[in-house]
Amino acid sequence: MQQIINFILRNKTTLLYLFLLTLGIFMSVQSHSYHRARFFNSANWLSGSLYGVQSDISSYFNLREENEKLVEENTRLRNLLFNLEIDSLEGVVKDSFPFEVIPAKIIKNSYALRNNYITINKGDVNGVEQDMGVITSKGILGIVEHTSDGFAAVQSLLNTKSNINAKIKNTNNFGSLKWNTDRFDVVQLEDIPRIVELYIGDTIVTGAMSSIFPENIPIGTIKKFDLLASENFYTIDVALFNDMTNIKNVYIIKNRDSDEIQILEEKIENDQ
């Protein structure tokens, strides 16, 4: 208590000035309508600004929660997208659900090597297995090659061992998607015959000749193509939709029919 009294005695002149200033402003606002209006407008502006700052701070700290909600919603929508079948004869929507989508995050990403891999934070305990496809919101990323209990190593598109079935959108002209190591934003589409009519900007998507990815997942667009007179197939550069240097959230695609398809294909190979 004595400290408070000492503080008041030391600063009595300043405190008296502030008291008189406040009293003067109050009396001026009360006695003049113009001053009163200006005061309340300023007060509203100040309180509005403070509430705006408070809202921005609150939104910033809620970004992680909101981002997780968006990932969950995207996962649900992709499950529906990959599994929705429409009976064109009856116009009835059916759910067959051969695909399951598992959300994950990247914890390590390489893109400057000849054989690049991506580590994600989902593994065996989450149902992730070898040869599952991995995509982002923009397109395909790679294929799961190794798994542990809580993590998985994904063979990136930017890997000389990568070989993915791809096609030109809205056609049945398909080939093999590979990487020649020249650029981290461009891959190559091979085995497209010379009789196919190509255009710069054509969209490349996943083909139907694979049990790993659903058909028509975006990959990129044709950036350049060449055809030598002695060749029967194009050399096509595909500019990727994904920025392979800046990826965080991914989706793992599990095809519940893949084992059955693999067994069938092995029987066909053995019979040949």
Side-chain angles (χ1 to χ4, degrees):
M1 185 66 182
Q2 186 61 41
Q3 290 181 347
I4 296 175
I5 294 173
N6 291 337
F7 173 80
I8 294 173
L9 292 175
R10 283 197 310 268
N11 300 279
K12 58 182 181 295
T13 303
T14 302
L15 294 173
L16 179 61
Y17 168 76
L18 292 175
F19 171 74
L20 293 175
L21 177 64
T22 303
L23 181 63
I25 292 174
F26 175 77
M27 293 178 65
S28 177
V29 168
Q30 289 296 319
S31 60
H32 297 85
S33 59
Y34 173 77
H35 291 165
R36 188 163 56 249
R38 294 287 293 179
F39 173 78
F40 285 116
N41 287 339
S42 299
N44 288 336
W45 174 84
L46 179 60
S47 62
S49 299
L50 291 175
Y51 284 130
V53 171
Q54 180 186 13
S55 176
D56 290 341
I57 293 173
S58 177
S59 297
Y60 175 80
F61 285 107
N62 287 331
L63 279 177
R64 182 171 182 176
E65 181 181 352
E66 291 300 320
N67 187 54
E68 290 177 352
K69 290 180 180 178
L70 286 174
V71 170
E72 291 177 0
E73 180 67 11
N74 285 338
T75 302
R76 187 183 70 82
L77 293 175
R78 288 183 182 279
N79 268 310
L80 292 174
L81 176 65
F82 295 149
N83 293 292
L84 201 61
E85 292 186 350
I86 300 178
D87 189 329
S88 59
L89 295 178
E90 300 178 7
V92 178
V93 178
K94 301 178 179 179
D95 289 326
S96 57
F97 291 98
F99 294 104
E100 177 186 353
V101 180
I102 305 169
K105 292 183 183 297
I106 290 177
I107 60 174
K108 185 179 179 181
N109 177 22
S110 67
Y111 50 85
L113 307 174
R114 285 183 55 83
N115 295 315
N116 294 288
Y117 286 88
I118 298 164
T119 305
I120 57 178
N121 67 344
K122 293 293 175 68
D124 296 335
V125 296
N126 308 106
V128 179
E129 300 173 0
Q130 186 180 25
D131 292 333
M132 288 185 179
V134 181
I135 67 171
T136 72
S137 58
K138 293 184 177 180
I140 68 170
L141 187 63
I143 299 173
V144 174
E145 187 167 313
H146 302 288
T147 62
S148 64
D149 286 346
F151 303 93
V154 179
Q155 184 189 97
S156 170
L157 280 177
L158 306 182
N159 190 308
T160 58
K161 296 184 290 184
S162 178
N163 189 346
I164 295 173
N165 180 258
K167 69 173 186 175
I168 303 168
K169 188 177 181 180
N170 298 325
T171 76
N172 291 318
N173 299 303
F174 62 88
S176 298
L177 197 72
K178 300 182 180 181
W179 186 51
N180 66 6
T181 74
D182 286 347
R183 295 179 54 169
F184 59 76
D185 57 346
V186 176
V187 295
Q188 286 65 48
L189 180 61
E190 301 179 353
D191 303 327
I192 299 294
R194 63 185 303 154
I195 61 172
V196 176
E197 196 169 356
L198 299 180
Y199 299 95
I200 301 296
D202 279 350
T203 299
I204 305 301
V205 297
T206 53
M209 309 297 290
S210 169
S211 61
I212 296 176
F213 293 102
E215 189 177 6
N216 293 320
I217 295 180
I219 297 173
T221 58
I222 295 179
K223 179 181 178 67
K224 183 181 71 172
F225 58 88
D226 297 311
L227 182 64
L228 299 178
S230 60
E231 295 180 343
N232 292 321
F233 298 94
Y234 285 103
T235 301
I236 304 173
D237 281 350
V238 179
L240 296 173
F241 287 133
N242 273 323
D243 179 357
M244 301 296 286
T245 68
N246 184 24
I247 303 172
K248 184 64 176 177
N249 296 305
V250 299
Y251 303 93
I252 307 158
I253 302 174
K254 180 177 183 178
N255 186 350
R256 295 189 177 95
D257 297 333
S258 61
D259 291 340
E260 182 179 348
I261 294 172
Q262 185 175 356
I263 293 172
L264 179 61
E265 290 176 347
E266 289 175 355
K267 287 182 179 179
I268 294 174
E269 290 180 1
N270 294 332
D271 291 340
Q272 291 178 346

